[in-house]
């Protein structure tokens, strides 16, 4: 089952802004929206946003998500050392009747 | 406190079977879509299977269809994954997740090796 496309790595400086992208197609991201998950090494994933820009309670406003066509984006402002992690996008694919994940983006905070 | 606790992982030979369990607490389990996601060592997340709230609909990734079965017992607040004909490529940490990913367990490691 085809997955979503994410850049393998992004590096940004402390207090800068990082924008991570996730590209799918009309069967998933474009019509179902995307969710974003953060995973620190050795820990389970944590949901950051769902259906494009809904944040669960307790998630910092520094994390915001959006979508344009078949590409979803996660913007992280004021980067902190603790933001260094792997970030995954996911979406329900109506054609496959399956959840599809991106390969993940490793964010490095310099 | 919302909690998901997986159990049942371990070392199994190729072709063998395992049953994973996920015990839920702190939320109304019967109202949540539930999912199993796995992560092979050093790799990304891979969706394995999902089940609707009442268990009527189940969905699987192609690579496990016919080998894995997802099920739930709402009376026991529990989610299960029956895994048969296990292969080396099934080696991973298996997580259960609730809803759209609002809650995750800590994972249980399944190792398929002779």
């Amino acid at each position: 089952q085809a997955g979503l496309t994410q850049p393998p790595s992004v590096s940004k400086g402390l207090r800068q802004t990082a924008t991570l992208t996730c590209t799918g197609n009309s069967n998933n991201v474009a019509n179902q929206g995307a969710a974003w998950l953060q995973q620190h090494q050795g820990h389970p994933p944590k949901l950051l946003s769902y259906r494009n820009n809904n944040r669960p309670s307790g998630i910092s406003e520094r994390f915001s998500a959006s979508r344009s066509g078949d590409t979803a984006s996660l913007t992280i402002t004021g980067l902190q050392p603790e933001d260094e992690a792997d970030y995954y996008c996911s979406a329900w694919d109506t054609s496959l009747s399956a959840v599809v994940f991106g390969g993940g983006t490793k964010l490095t905070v310099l | 406190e919302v909690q998901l606790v997986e159990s049942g992982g371990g070392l199994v030979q190729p072709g063998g079977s395992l049953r994973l369990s996920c015990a839920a607490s702190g939320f109304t389990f019967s109202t949540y879509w539930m999912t199993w996601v796995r992560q092979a060592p050093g790799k990304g997340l891979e969706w394995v299977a999902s089940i609707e709230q009442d268990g009527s609909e189940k969905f699987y990734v192609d690579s496990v269809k016919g080998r894995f079965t997802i099920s739930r017992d709402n009376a026991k607040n529990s989610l299960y994954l029956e895994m048969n004909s296990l292969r080396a490529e099934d080696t991973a940490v298996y997580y259960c997740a609730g809803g759209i990913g609002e809650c995750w367990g800590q994972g249980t490691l399944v190792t398929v090796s002779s």
Side-chain angles (χ1 to χ4, degrees), chain B residues 31 52 79 99:
Chain B
T31 65
E52 286 194 342
L79 176 72

Side-chain angles (χ1 to χ4, degrees), chain A residues 1 35 37 39 42-47 50-51 56 86 88 90 92 96-103, chain B residues 33 35 37 39 43-47 50 59-63 65 95 100-107:
Chain A
Q1 277 141 314
L37 299 152
Q39 186 180 34
H43 291 270
K46 180 170 75 173
L47 184 68
Y50 57 98
R51 294 201 187 96
D86 294 320
Y88 296 91
S90 69
W92 177 257
L96 300 172
S97 289
V99 175
V100 287
F101 276 99
Chain B
W33 170 285
T35 293
V37 173
Q39 188 168 34
K43 302 295 185 182
L45 301 174
E46 181 186 30
W47 172 74
S50 294
F59 306 90
Y60 300 92
V61 68
D62 284 347
S63 60
K65 283 180 182 174
Y95 296 102
I100 50 171
E102 302 102 297
C103 49
W104 292 72
Q106 290 298 311

Side-chain angles (χ1 to χ4, degrees), chain A residues 5-26:
Chain A
T5 301
Q6 296 183 253
S9 63
V10 168
S11 297
K12 286 288 184 180
L14 196 62
R15 292 183 295 278
Q16 287 190 332
T17 295
T19 298
L20 313 182
T21 60
C22 167
T23 302
N25 59 41
S26 59

Side-chain angles (χ1 to χ4, degrees), chain A residues 16-97:
Chain A
Q16 287 190 332
T17 295
T19 298
L20 313 182
T21 60
C22 167
T23 302
N25 59 41
S26 59
N27 297 314
N28 43 63
V29 173
N31 73 21
Q32 297 292 308
W36 287 92
L37 299 152
Q38 177 192 59
Q39 186 180 34
H40 288 105
Q41 183 74 21
H43 291 270
K46 180 170 75 173
L47 184 68
L48 297 177
S49 78
Y50 57 98
R51 294 201 187 96
N52 300 324
N53 196 22
N54 293 281
R55 266 192 310 271
S57 62
I59 300 300
S60 170
E61 291 179 353
R62 295 190 299 109
F63 295 91
S64 65
S66 62
R67 180 185 63 82
S68 177
D70 59 6
T71 297
S73 299
L74 177 72
T75 298
I76 312 169
T77 59
L79 282 169
Q80 300 296 310
E82 60 266 28
D83 297 331
E84 190 161 288
D86 294 320
Y87 291 82
Y88 296 91
C89 59
S90 69
W92 177 257
D93 190 297
T94 55
S95 174
L96 300 172
S97 289

